[in-house]
Amino acid sequence: MSDFNDSLIDVSSDSFWEVGNYKRSVKRVDDGNRLCNDLMSCLHERARIEKSYSTQLTDWAKRWRQTIEKGPQYGTVERAWCALMTEAEKVSDLHMEVKAALMAEDFEKIKNWQKDAYHKQMIGGFKETKEAEDGFRKAQKPWAKKLKEMETMKKAYHTACKEEKTATSRENSSKLDNSNPEAQKKLQEKVEKCQQEVQKTKERYEKSLEDLDKVTPQYMENMEQVFEQWQQFEGKRLSFFKEVLLEVKQHLDLSSNHKYTTVYHTLQDTIQGADPQEDLKWFRSNHGPGMTMNWPQFEEWSMDLNRTLSRRETKRRPAEGVTLTAISHNPEQSSRVSSSAAVEKAPAPAAITAADDDDDEESGNPFSSSSANGNPFEEEPSTEMCVPVRAVYDYEGQEQDELSFKAGDELVKLSEEDEQGWCKGRLSNGTVGLYPANYVEDLQ
């Protein structure tokens, strides 16, 4: 083993056949495991992006749908505009499906394949890496040993050649200097001895090369076999990655999803269905010259009345009791009334002080218990439910009668979800108002 370790030095080229250069093939096994982790991280990050985009689309659609429905736009063009919000909601659902597919299918598939392909050892590293290292080491060891012997013979031969050249140079110098014949004789004998050593080491060097050449074919065959084994192992990983990436593409490619295509066909049909002339006709009939009118006409004086009232005045006379001045005609807001509602003929109770009025004004909450008598659409306490819930997302109330809360806040649900997705609730500070039902979860 020590001979093999010593042979790992002085690599003269970058060739695979050089001693120790098989380690790049061994490292590829470890790299394959790391690439599985990288691909899973890549998909996990994309899934987070899909979820974030989905959430932003939903929030955008909810906010703008409320703005449009409370705004002055009307008729078929309003429906066409709101169709953009419907598109966003449906596309949001599709992107959540993409996120779910990336994590539940693609991510898990890579994780399971990695677990089956790479087996961790108790001492660290992977079983497959050790098998590759041992296979290449065993195939290279005989050849590496012969290579080391050949390098030793080559070094001895080159050393002998150097000594022979030095001895010859000294002998020639001695002849030119007419040195002592005895000294010249010794130098000549040194040259002859060096020449003999050169010949001897040359023969050994050539013999070691022959021995190395004999084992080279077997060495190449053994290394080829080990290399091919791990080529196939890597080939499985590459094929698996290609398969997974194609599945990821299918999940990401919404253009091939019939649901996605339907969303935009529906959007186009809704927008194309907008009829500006029909909207103008509706506005003329409901808010313009097309409206009916009780034109003034002559009326006889009646003794039974203290004064003469025309039919027009009678119709416009305010009714006693509650007068609602800003009721929305939109179905989604049929259960919600603007804070401009006023109560006529409802004198303030003597028990309510000026300080109480100030508190109500500061809270700005039409559902406040201190202003219950002034809230004509608050439900009777006996009909309310009391279900504890927790906010899942942050919500900032867009209207005066809406609650604002942060994710994690706890509140009490006082009514079931209406057709438009709203619930009535009470915060921990006693504030009562409306909130989106899908922003909370039950604690029971």
Side-chain angles (χ1 to χ4, degrees):
M1 182 67 69
S2 61
D3 291 343
F4 177 74
N5 292 335
D6 293 342
S7 67
L8 296 181
I9 61 175
D10 298 332
V11 177
S12 59
S13 76
D14 198 39
S15 171
F16 165 77
W17 301 105
E18 292 289 346
V19 174
N21 279 3
Y22 65 79
K23 290 188 178 294
R24 290 175 298 188
S25 297
V26 176
K27 183 178 180 296
R28 187 172 61 168
V29 178
D30 284 331
D31 289 343
N33 176 74
R34 182 175 63 81
L35 289 169
C36 287
N37 291 333
D38 288 347
L39 182 54
M40 286 191 288
S41 296
C42 175
L43 297 185
H44 186 254
E45 185 174 336
R46 178 59 184 268
R48 289 201 305 268
I49 293 173
E50 294 291 333
K51 180 179 179 180
S52 176
Y53 180 54
S54 173
T55 302
Q56 291 180 51
L57 280 178
T58 300
D59 293 342
W60 174 82
K62 186 182 299 292
R63 185 174 67 255
W64 275 99
R65 186 184 294 278
Q66 293 174 356
T67 301
I68 295 168
E69 291 174 347
K70 294 176 182 178
Q73 184 58 61
Y74 55 88
T76 58
V77 173
E78 178 186 1
R79 288 197 295 272
W81 192 352
C82 285
L84 293 179
M85 281 65 260
T86 302
E87 174 269 343
E89 292 164 351
K90 293 185 179 299
V91 171
S92 172
D93 292 340
L94 290 175
H95 280 281
M96 284 300 289
E97 292 179 7
V98 171
K99 176 260 180 186
L102 290 175
M103 294 304 298
E105 297 180 33
D106 303 327
F107 184 92
E108 288 298 321
K109 186 172 184 178
I110 300 169
K111 182 178 178 181
N112 292 331
W113 186 89
Q114 181 188 36
K115 184 177 179 181
D116 292 337
Y118 301 93
H119 302 85
K120 291 184 177 180
Q121 299 183 114
M122 294 293 293
I123 59 175
F126 295 96
K127 175 184 175 184
E128 289 70 27
T129 304
K130 186 176 185 304
E131 289 178 353
E133 174 71 29
D134 292 345
F136 281 115
R137 183 186 295 271
K138 183 178 180 181
Q140 195 171 73
K141 184 175 181 179
W143 188 83
K145 184 177 181 180
K146 290 294 183 181
L147 177 65
K148 187 174 184 302
E149 293 175 355
M150 183 274 294
E151 292 289 349
T152 302
M153 294 299 102
K154 181 176 70 172
K155 184 176 180 181
Y157 169 63
H158 290 171
T159 300
C161 290
K162 182 178 180 181
E163 292 179 353
E164 187 267 342
K165 184 177 181 180
T166 301
T168 302
S169 177
R170 288 176 179 175
E171 181 188 19
N172 292 335
S173 297
S174 176
K175 290 179 179 179
L176 292 175
D177 295 340
N178 294 319
S179 300
N180 187 342
E182 185 67 23
Q184 290 183 4
K185 183 178 180 182
K186 287 182 179 181
L187 290 173
Q188 185 178 4
E189 291 176 353
K190 177 65 175 178
V191 171
E192 292 175 355
K193 184 177 181 181
C194 288
Q195 290 175 344
Q196 293 174 359
E197 185 64 20
V198 167
Q199 185 60 34
K200 185 189 300 183
T201 55
K202 181 180 179 181
E203 291 174 357
R204 291 175 181 172
Y205 177 32
E206 291 174 343
K207 178 66 169 55
S208 67
L209 277 174
E210 291 177 2
D211 293 341
L212 183 64
D213 290 341
K214 289 178 182 179
V215 299
T216 296
Q218 186 64 47
Y219 162 64
M220 295 178 69
E221 181 180 348
N222 293 343
M223 291 290 283
E224 282 276 6
Q225 289 177 355
V226 178
F227 182 79
E228 186 58 32
Q229 174 186 350
W230 297 104
Q231 276 285 86
Q232 293 177 8
F233 182 82
E234 174 68 3
K236 292 178 181 178
R237 184 192 68 81
L238 294 173
S239 298
F240 173 73
F241 269 40
K242 178 181 178 180
E243 175 186 343
V244 169
L245 291 172
L246 284 174
E247 292 180 4
V248 171
K249 179 265 177 188
Q250 286 296 110
H251 293 146
L252 295 177
D253 185 9
L254 292 179
S255 65
S256 63
N257 188 324
H258 72 279
K259 295 181 183 178
Y260 190 75
T261 305
T262 302
V263 168
Y264 290 100
H265 285 166
T266 303
L267 176 61
Q268 180 172 349
D269 292 343
T270 305
I271 296 175
Q272 290 286 6
D275 188 343
Q277 294 304 317
E278 183 67 25
D279 291 353
L280 293 174
K281 181 179 178 181
W282 175 89
F283 192 88
R284 178 184 180 87
S285 299
N286 289 272
H287 302 287
M291 297 180 68
T292 58
M293 173 65 178
N294 291 323
W295 297 104
Q297 54 184 302
F298 179 81
E299 293 185 9
E300 291 289 350
W301 175 79
S302 173
M303 293 181 62
D304 297 333
L305 300 176
N306 292 328
R307 63 188 182 91
T308 303
L309 297 176
S310 69
R311 288 194 305 165
R312 178 169 175 264
E313 289 174 324
T314 303
K315 186 173 183 180
R316 293 184 59 187
R317 183 177 181 179
E320 293 184 354
V322 178
T323 300
L324 305 181
T325 62
I327 299 178
S328 171
H329 294 285
N330 191 290
E332 179 180 347
Q333 299 170 1
S334 60
S335 63
R336 302 177 59 187
V337 183
S338 172
S339 60
S340 62
V343 179
E344 294 187 0
K345 287 191 170 184
I352 299 179
T353 65
D356 294 330
D357 293 338
D358 292 340
D359 291 341
D360 290 344
E361 290 177 2
E362 290 177 2
S363 66
N365 180 11
F367 292 98
S368 175
S369 58
S370 63
S371 62
N373 292 331
N375 183 0
F377 53 94
E378 183 172 73
E379 297 181 2
E380 292 296 329
S382 60
T383 62
E384 291 181 345
M385 59 193 303
C386 291
V387 178
V389 295
R390 179 188 291 114
V392 181
Y393 310 103
D394 295 350
Y395 182 73
E396 186 70 27
Q398 304 296 314
E399 296 294 331
Q400 189 177 11
D401 59 349
E402 294 178 11
L403 298 178
S404 297
F405 46 75
K406 299 292 185 180
D409 289 352
E410 295 186 4
L411 55 153
V412 177
K413 181 169 68 175
L414 301 177
S415 69
E416 292 292 352
E417 178 181 351
D418 63 18
E419 295 180 355
Q420 304 303 324
W422 291 87
C423 283
K424 180 180 175 182
R426 183 174 63 246
L427 298 177
S428 59
N429 63 3
T431 302
V432 178
L434 301 178
Y435 64 87
N438 60 352
Y439 273 56
V440 303
E441 60 181 4
D442 289 352
L443 292 177
Q444 294 182 344

